[in-house]
Amino acid sequence: MANHKSAEKRDRQSKVRRLRNRMSKSTMKTAIRQVEEAIVSGSEEQAKAALQAAIPVIYKTATKGTVHKNTAARKVSRLTKRVNKMQPLA
């Protein structure tokens, strides 16, 4: 438990930040899950649309500091690669 006024404030701020980070990370994971479900279903157009919706969400999570920017870039890269593999070779 916090014994000082400043420590109590720090505790309150930590709780608020933790909830905000958790919400942001959850939103990112949902966007990623939607892309993966579209890939599994085999719908190329749906996968592309889900990817286009997920990319800004992932980068926004990194911008806010919830995840590292390299982690966000890696996730986007891997999702993009999986969506691109769906396309038949012409």
Side-chain angles (χ1 to χ4, degrees):
M1 267 324 274
N3 294 321
H4 296 282
K5 192 173 183 179
S6 60
E8 290 171 354
K9 180 178 179 181
R10 176 63 51 205
D11 187 48
R12 287 194 309 268
Q13 289 175 332
S14 294
K15 287 177 184 175
V16 169
R17 288 189 178 119
R18 184 177 73 78
L19 291 174
R20 189 181 302 133
N21 286 341
R22 205 163 89 183
M23 183 183 71
S24 179
K25 199 177 286 191
S26 175
T27 304
M28 180 184 75
K29 287 179 181 180
T30 302
I32 291 170
R33 193 176 309 117
Q34 288 173 348
V35 175
E36 290 173 345
E37 287 172 358
I39 291 170
V40 170
S41 72
S43 173
E44 184 181 329
E45 292 149 9
Q46 191 178 4
K48 284 184 177 181
L51 179 66
Q52 290 304 313
I55 288 173
V57 172
I58 295 169
Y59 281 131
K60 189 173 184 179
T61 305
T63 303
K64 293 185 178 292
T66 305
V67 295
H68 195 273
K69 64 176 188 165
N70 291 355
T71 302
R74 183 180 67 242
K75 288 183 182 297
V76 168
S77 176
R78 288 179 180 173
L79 283 174
T80 304
K81 191 189 299 186
R82 286 181 65 191
V83 170
N84 287 341
K85 277 187 178 179
M86 292 180 69
Q87 297 176 1
L89 296 174

